[in-house]
C-alpha cells in the first residue's frame, strides 16, 4: 500500500495531523519529514522492528548503525548520553534548537534500545516545529537518517513530491512541509577533551 502524503504547515503544524503521524509511528511506521536542514527518514526509537525496517530501507547493517536521535528539548537528551559537562551544556543551550548534530558517548540505555553496542550517539534538536511536535507527542526520540539523492550534484532531495515518488512504496507517511534544504547539519564531536567540528554544514558555531 502506498504511503500517505500529508501536508503539514511548517510554522503552525495542525495537531490532528501530528496525532495521525504519531499514531502511525506507534504502530511501527516509518516516516519522511522536514527538518531545519534537509528531509529526514525516521521511526520511533523504542520500536525495535521499526528500527530494523529503517536499517533495511537505508541499507544499513544494525552493527554499523550511525543514525541520529531527534529530540524535543535539552532535558530529553540526558537519558541517552553518558554525561554533558557544563561548558558543553552552555554550547548546547546557545546552539539548540538549530542545524547541528552533537556526538556524545552514549548512556547504558542506548545499546539496550538498539541491541547493538553503540559507544556514541548523535543528538539533534532541529529548529523546526514539525519534528519537535511529533517527538513531544510521541514521548520518545525519532531515530533518523538523511534523505540522499542519486544525483551527486544535487546530493539531497529538496522537493517533498519527488521524495514521495521515491519512497511511497517503502515508508508509511511522507510529510510535505514545503521545500527542504540541501545543506546538512553541522556535526560536532563532544566525546574528546575539546569540542571538534567533524562536518561543517548549515550551522555556524563558536566554542
Amino acid at each position: 500500500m502506498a504511503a500517505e502524503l500529508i501536508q503539514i504547515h511548517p510554522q503552525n503544524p495542525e495537531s490532528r495531523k501530528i496525532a495521525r503521524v504519531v499514531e502511525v509511528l506507534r504502530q511501527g511506521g516509518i516516516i519522511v519529514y522536514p527538518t531545519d536542514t534537509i528531509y529526514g527518514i525516521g521511526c520511533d526509537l523504542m520500536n525495535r522492528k521499526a528500527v530494523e525496517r529503517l536499517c533495511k530501507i537505508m541499507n544499513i547493517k544494525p552493527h554499523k548503525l550511525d543514525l541520529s536521535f531527534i529530540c524535543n528539548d535539552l532535558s530529553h537528551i540526558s537519558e541517552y548520553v553518558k554525561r554533558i559537562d557544563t561548558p558543553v551544556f552552555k554550547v548546547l543551550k546557545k546552539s539548540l534548537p538549530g542545524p547541528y548534530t552533537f556526538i556524545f558517548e552514549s548512556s547504558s540505555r542506548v545499546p539496550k534500545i538498539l541491541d547493538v553496542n553503540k559507544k556514541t550517539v548523535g543528538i539533534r534538536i532541529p529548529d523546526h516545529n514539525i519534528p519537535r511536535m511529533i517527538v513531544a507527542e510521541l514521548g520518545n526520540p525519532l531515530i533518523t537518517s538523511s534523505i540522499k539523492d542519486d544525483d551527486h550534484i544535487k546530493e539531497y532531495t529538496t522537493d517533498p513530491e519527488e521524495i514521495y515518488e521515491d519512497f511511497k512504496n517503502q515508508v508509511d507517511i511522507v510529510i510535505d512541509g514545503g521545500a527542504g534544504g540541501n545543506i546538512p547539519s553541522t556535526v560536532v564531536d563532544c566525546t574528546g577533551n575539546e569540542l571538534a567540528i567533524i562536518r561543517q554544514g548549515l550551522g555556524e558555531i563558536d566554542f
Side-chain angles (χ1 to χ4, degrees):
M1 199 167 81
E4 293 177 59
L5 179 63
I6 301 179
Q7 286 189 317
I8 299 182
H9 195 284
Q11 274 79 45
N12 300 297
E14 301 90 335
S15 55
R16 64 180 176 80
K17 292 182 180 180
I18 295 291
R20 171 61 189 150
V21 173
V22 169
E23 179 189 6
V24 168
L25 286 167
R26 286 188 176 137
Q27 293 166 354
I30 309 282
I31 67 166
V32 172
Y33 61 94
T35 74
D36 53 351
T37 55
I38 55 189
Y39 268 78
I41 178 170
C43 65
D44 180 354
L45 175 61
M46 298 303 184
N47 191 310
R48 186 162 299 186
K49 285 190 175 171
V51 176
E52 286 170 5
R53 192 174 146 213
L54 180 64
C55 288
K56 280 183 186 166
I57 292 170
M58 302 309 291
N59 199 21
I60 301 166
K61 290 184 169 56
H63 69 278
K64 292 193 171 175
L65 199 62
D66 200 15
L67 307 178
S68 298
F69 294 2
I70 299 281
C71 295
N72 180 41
D73 55 35
L74 286 172
S75 63
H76 216 179
I77 292 175
S78 57
E79 292 179 59
Y80 305 102
V81 306
K82 200 169 185 180
R83 69 176 189 281
I84 304 176
D85 296 332
T86 303
V88 175
F89 185 78
K90 285 180 179 171
V91 172
L92 296 182
K93 207 165 179 187
K94 189 170 69 172
S95 309
L96 297 173
Y100 306 95
T101 302
F102 289 95
I103 309 293
F104 288 96
E105 286 183 54
S106 55
S107 73
S108 58
R109 195 169 176 212
V110 173
K112 288 176 193 168
I113 295 164
L114 303 177
D115 213 18
V116 172
N117 187 22
K118 285 298 292 175
K119 292 185 167 58
T120 60
V121 61
I123 298 290
R124 282 268 279 131
I125 302 177
D127 188 13
H128 198 295
N129 289 338
I130 291 174
R132 286 171 58 214
M133 277 184 72
I134 290 168
V135 169
E137 177 92 5
L138 181 64
N140 305 320
L142 293 175
I143 187 163
T144 191
S145 179
S146 304
I147 295 285
K148 285 236 181 183
D149 197 284
D150 290 335
D151 181 345
H152 292 297
I153 297 167
K154 193 163 60 173
E155 192 165 20
Y156 295 102
T157 306
T158 60
D159 183 343
E161 290 188 6
E162 271 185 50
I163 293 170
Y164 180 75
E165 288 305 314
D166 289 342
F167 284 91
K168 67 182 178 185
N169 296 315
Q170 298 181 72
V171 305
D172 301 282
I173 288 178
V174 175
I175 296 172
D176 179 350
N182 60 5
I183 302 172
S185 62
T186 293
V187 180
V188 182
D189 186 352
C190 304
T191 61
N193 293 328
E194 293 185 1
L195 299 183
I197 293 173
I198 53 178
R199 180 182 74 193
Q200 181 62 58
L202 189 62
E204 297 291 333
I205 194 162
D206 293 319
F207 302 141

